[in-house]
C-alpha cells in the first residue's frame, strides 16, 4: 500500500518527524484554546458586572414609581410597574448566577467556614421559595435533621446549593407535587452527611444524569423549551459541593421524579 | 428651622445616581453627587454631608480611600453606607473596618435604603 517501506530507516525518520510536528501543532492549538477560554471567562465576568449597573437603575426607578413616590398610581398601573420590578429582579438573579459560575470556574471562590445549623439554612430556603411553590400548589417538606450536629462549612454557599436544587425542583415539578429534603449519615462514625432533595417531578432520563451537572447544559435546549434559565444552576451546585470536598449526583427515571443527593463532611479538617 | 439632611451619592454610573437623586429628593433630602474618589473628597470637605452613600469600586480608586481622607480632614459624615455589587464577606469586612456603618448589596431595594438612612440619622 504505502509508497515507501516504513521499516526503512529513512522513511522511519521522516515519519517520526511528521509525528513530532503534529504533536507540536496540537499543543499549540491547545494553548491557543486555553487562552481563548480564559478570555471568554473574563468577558463573561465583565459583561455580567456591567449589565448589573443599568439594571439596578431600572429597578430603582420602577420601585420609586411603584411605591407612589412620584404620585399615586391606579391599581393597574401599579401592577404593571410591579411587573417591571420583578422581571428586573429575575434578570438580576440570572446575571448573578453567571457571575457566581464564572468565579467558581476560575477558582476565584474561597470558602468562608463557620459553624451553623444546616436545618436552619434549609428552612430559610424553604421560606424564600414558599410563594413560588404555593403558586403551583407544591409542598416543600423537611423530613428530619433536628438532631444533626453543627456543620462547619460556608453558610452562604450551602444556602446557594439548596436554593438551586429546590429552585429546580419547583421548576420541574407539575402542579400539586411534593418536594422534600432529608438527611442521613454514613461513613465511619457517621462523619459524612448525605443530603437529599427529592421531587415528584418529570424526572431525568438515565442518559442525562451526567449531562445535567455540566455548565450551560439543558436537557431540552430548544428555544421553545418550557423552562428557561441560565443552565448553570446544577453546575454551580456541583462546584460548590466539590469545594467542600463533597460529591453530588442524581437518581431519577423519566416520569418518576428526581432525587438529588450531595455529601458534606461533618468533621472537615480545620486549618 | 433645622437645615435639611444632605446626602452625598458617590457612584460612577450616572444612571444609578439619577435614580437615587429622584428617590432622595422625593423623600425630602438634599442631594449631592460625586463620581470619583477625588470628587467625593472635594465635596465631602467643602460641604456638609450627613449621609454618604458609597459605591466601593470607582474609576480612580477604592471608595474606602474617601473615608480615610475625610477622617484625616476631620470631615466624616454622620454615617457612611457602602454599596457593593457582590456579596463577598472579605469586602464586607474591609468596609466595616474602614468605618462604614452598613454594607448594602446592590441594588438595594428602596424601602430598605430609606429605612437605613433614617436609622442612621437618629
Amino acid at each position: 500500500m504505502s509508497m515507501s517501506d516504513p521499516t526503512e530507516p529513512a522513511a522511519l525518520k521522516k515519519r517520526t518527524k511528521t509525528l513530532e510536528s503534529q504533536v507540536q501543532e496540537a499543543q499549540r492549538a491547545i494553548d491557543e484554546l486555553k487562552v481563548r477560554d480564559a478570555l471568554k471567562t473574563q468577558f463573561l465576568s465583565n459583561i455580567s458586572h456591567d449589565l448589573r449597573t443599568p439594571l439596578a437603575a431600572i429597578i430603582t426607578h420602577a420601585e420609586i414609581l411603584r411605591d407612589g413616590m412620584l404620585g399615586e398610581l391606579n391599581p393597574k398601573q401599579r401592577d404593571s410597574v410591579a411587573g417591571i420590578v420583578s422581571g428586573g429582579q429575575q434578570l438580576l438573579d440570572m446575571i448573578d448566577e453567571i457571575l457566581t459560575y464564572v468565579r467558581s470556574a476560575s477558582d476565584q471562590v474561597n470558602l468562608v467556614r463557620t459553624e451553623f445549623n444546616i436545618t436552619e439554612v434549609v428552612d430559610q430556603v424553604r421560606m424564600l421559595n414558599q410563594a413560588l411553590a404555593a403558586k403551583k400548589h407544591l409542598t416543600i417538606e423537611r423530613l428530619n435533621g433536628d438532631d444533626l450536629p453543627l456543620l462547619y462549612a460556608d453558610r452562604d454557599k450551602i444556602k446557594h446549593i439548596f436554593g438551586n436544587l429546590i429552585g429546580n425542583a419547583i421548576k420541574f415539578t407539575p402542579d400539586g407535587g411534593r418536594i422534600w429534603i432529608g438527611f442521613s449519615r454514613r461513613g465511619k462514625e457517621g462523619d459524612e452527611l448525605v443530603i437529599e432533595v427529592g421531587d415528584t417531578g418529570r424526572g431525568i432520563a438515565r442518559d442525562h444524569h451526567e449531562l445535567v451537572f455540566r455548565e450551560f447544559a439543558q436537557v431540552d435546549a430548544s428555544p421553545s423549551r418550557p423552562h428557561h434559565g441560565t443552565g448553570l444552576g446544577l453546575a454551580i451546585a456541583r462546584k460548590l459541593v466539590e469545594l467542600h470536598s463533597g460529591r453530588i449526583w442524581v437518581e431519577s427515571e423519566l416520569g418518576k421524579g428526581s432525587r438529588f443527593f450531595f455529601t458534606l463532611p461533618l468533621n472537615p479538617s480545620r486549618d | 428651622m433645622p437645615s435639611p439632611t444632605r446626602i452625598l451619592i458617590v457612584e460612577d454610573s450616572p444612571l444609578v445616581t439619577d435614580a437615587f437623586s429622584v428617590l432622595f429628593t422625593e423623600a425630602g433630602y438634599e442631594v449631592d453627587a460625586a463620581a470619583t474618589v477625588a470628587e467625593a473628597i472635594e465635596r465631602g470637605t467643602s460641604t456638609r454631608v450627613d449621609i454618604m452613600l458609597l459605591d466601593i469600586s470607582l474609576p480612580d480608586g477604592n471608595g474606602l480611600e474617601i473615608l480615610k481622607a475625610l477622617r484625616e480632614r476631620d470631615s466624616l459624615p454622620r454615617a457612611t453606607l457602602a454599596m457593593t455589587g457582590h456579596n463577598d464577606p472579605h469586602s464586607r469586612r474591609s468596609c466595616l473596618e474602614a468605618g462604614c456603618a452598613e454594607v448594602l448589596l446592590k441594588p438595594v431595594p428602596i424601602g430598605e435604603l430609606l429605612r437605613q438612612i433614617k436609622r442612621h440619622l437618629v
Side-chain angles (χ1 to χ4, degrees):
Chain A
M1 273 297 283
S2 66
M3 309 245 263
S4 56
D5 179 358
T7 57
E8 194 185 306
L12 200 62
K13 222 170 159 181
K14 196 175 161 203
R15 220 177 119 79
T16 307
K17 234 182 147 132
T18 312
L19 282 173
E20 272 170 359
S21 80
Q22 277 170 351
V23 167
Q24 269 177 17
E25 207 169 299
Q27 191 55 53
R28 257 200 305 277
I30 290 169
D31 292 345
E32 168 79 14
L33 283 175
K34 277 188 185 157
V35 170
R36 286 190 191 200
D37 188 49
L39 278 175
K40 205 160 80 176
T41 303
Q42 190 57 49
F43 167 75
L44 260 181
S45 173
N46 292 348
I47 196 81
S48 342
H49 186 266
D50 291 350
L51 284 171
R52 275 185 122 260
T53 302
L55 190 54
I58 292 171
I59 293 173
T60 303
H61 276 298
E63 284 181 322
I64 292 169
L65 279 176
R66 182 199 59 192
D67 293 358
M69 296 187 74
L70 302 178
E72 260 332 290
L73 302 186
N74 69 38
K76 279 184 184 167
Q77 290 169 331
R78 195 165 42 239
D79 281 354
S80 184
V81 177
I84 299 176
V85 175
S86 59
Q89 264 152 359
Q90 208 174 322
L91 187 53
L92 196 71
D93 287 344
M94 287 168 68
I95 292 171
D96 284 345
E97 198 69 349
I98 296 174
L99 261 175
T100 305
Y101 165 73
V102 170
R103 282 168 198 224
S104 64
S106 52
D107 295 321
Q108 292 176 37
V109 173
N110 295 316
L111 294 186
V112 183
R113 290 183 192 264
T114 53
E115 274 197 337
F116 63 92
N117 197 327
I118 192 169
T119 53
E120 269 177 29
V121 174
V122 169
D123 292 343
Q124 251 183 33
V125 177
R126 279 169 62 212
M127 288 294 290
L128 286 172
N129 283 284
Q130 207 50 61
L132 211 59
K135 265 191 204 160
K136 296 179 74 178
H137 308 288
L138 304 173
T139 58
I140 310 177
E141 202 183 343
R142 176 165 66 78
L143 302 178
N144 55 5
D146 288 332
D147 52 350
L148 284 175
L150 292 180
L151 196 65
Y152 184 63
D154 188 319
R155 195 177 195 282
D156 286 343
K157 305 215 168 38
I158 300 297
K159 191 171 164 191
H160 200 131
I161 297 168
F162 279 115
N164 287 6
L165 292 179
I166 292 173
N168 264 0
I170 293 173
K171 219 187 220 178
F172 293 108
T173 303
D175 272 33
R178 213 164 66 81
I179 295 164
W180 62 90
I181 299 103
F183 302 93
S184 59
R185 293 170 72 169
R186 67 178 192 195
K188 54 176 196 301
E189 291 156 37
D191 55 5
E192 188 176 47
L193 183 62
V194 184
I195 301 114
E196 171 181 358
V197 178
D199 65 60
T200 57
R202 48 148 70 175
I204 302 162
R206 184 162 290 278
D207 292 358
H208 293 142
H209 284 191
E210 295 283 329
L211 175 79
V212 293
F213 292 104
R214 260 185 247 155
E215 42 274 350
F216 310 115
Q218 291 188 326
V219 172
D220 180 359
S222 65
S224 61
R225 68 193 189 277
H227 302 283
H228 290 262
T230 54
L232 288 172
L234 290 175
I236 290 173
R238 189 191 67 195
K239 288 266 182 215
L240 298 181
V241 168
E242 286 171 355
L243 272 172
H244 284 89
S245 313
R247 288 194 316 118
I248 188 168
W249 70 96
V250 62
E251 293 176 8
S252 176
E253 264 180 72
L254 260 189
K256 293 192 174 168
S258 304
R259 298 170 68 193
F260 283 87
F261 294 90
F262 65 99
T263 62
L264 292 173
L266 274 172
N267 298 303
S269 59
R270 303 186 180 210
D271 33 40
Chain B
M1 207 176 97
S3 53
T5 301
R6 282 178 60 86
I7 301 181
L8 174 62
I9 304 167
V10 186
E11 160 69 57
D12 64 327
S13 157
L15 282 174
V16 174
T17 303
D18 277 359
F20 284 148
S21 298
V22 173
L23 174 68
F24 296 147
T25 308
E26 289 305 319
Y29 299 120
E30 243 175 51
V31 178
D32 197 359
T36 61
V37 170
E39 225 180 304
I41 295 172
E42 190 275 316
R43 301 309 296 154
T45 43
S46 65
T47 63
R48 174 179 60 85
V49 176
D50 297 301
I51 299 274
M52 179 160 70
L53 193 62
L54 182 62
D55 183 12
I56 296 305
S57 71
L58 292 168
D60 59 340
N62 187 309
L64 298 178
E65 294 164 30
I66 300 165
L67 276 172
K68 194 166 166 260
L70 291 184
R71 181 172 295 118
E72 281 164 6
R73 293 164 175 73
D74 210 13
S75 305
L76 276 181
R78 285 168 70 179
T80 297
L81 311 179
M83 297 183 298
T84 67
H86 220 255
N87 194 2
D88 154 30
H90 294 293
S91 67
R92 195 186 156 74
R93 198 178 318 137
S94 58
C95 288
L96 294 175
E97 279 168 6
C100 297
E102 297 288 342
V103 186
L104 307 168
L105 192 61
K106 272 200 212 174
V108 193
I110 61 168
E112 161 80 3
L113 191 53
L114 294 177
R115 249 194 315 280
Q116 290 287 357
I117 289 172
K118 270 205 194 105
R119 200 162 81 85
H120 287 286
L121 283 172
V122 178

